[in-house]
Amino acid sequence: MAYGGGTAAAEEARKSSSYRVKFRRDQFLEMVRIAQPQRVYRVKNVHFFAFDGFVMYCQECTDADLGVRVIEAIEFSNDAWKKS
């Protein structure tokens, strides 16, 4: 059984701190170009990815703007995980 998605998510978590950096659309698209992430995550209208020790995010993009695989998630938070 392949666990590539979970492994990739764990690797992304190791790359980022709890700090988030918010960008306007053009700035975020430039960061996507610089970072070349394999995937960008989306919760509602928030797109985000880990790079350079931070979570980069924007609320002004569409999936089509990014040119990379967008994975829909259900929550964007820096709260500690707790079982519901």
Side-chain angles (χ1 to χ4, degrees), residues 18-83:
S18 62
Y19 290 100
R20 299 179 296 190
V21 182
K22 184 176 183 179
F23 292 95
R24 295 251 182 236
R25 180 183 179 276
D26 291 341
Q27 296 168 317
F28 188 75
L29 294 175
E30 177 69 6
M31 288 306 303
V32 169
R33 189 188 66 74
I34 291 167
Q36 299 180 354
Q38 293 181 6
R39 68 199 65 78
V40 171
Y41 301 92
R42 177 177 49 81
V43 173
K44 297 180 183 173
N45 70 326
V46 180
H47 288 85
F48 57 98
F49 66 96
F51 177 68
D52 208 18
F54 302 98
V55 173
M56 311 294 183
Y57 78 102
C58 181
Q59 296 173 301
E60 301 173 354
C61 293
T62 66
D63 292 359
D65 291 335
L66 301 170
V68 298
R69 182 175 179 199
V70 175
I71 299 174
E72 188 173 353
I74 59 171
E75 183 177 0
F76 178 65
S77 172
N78 64 347
D79 292 339
W81 183 85
K82 51 189 167 252
K83 189 174 180 178

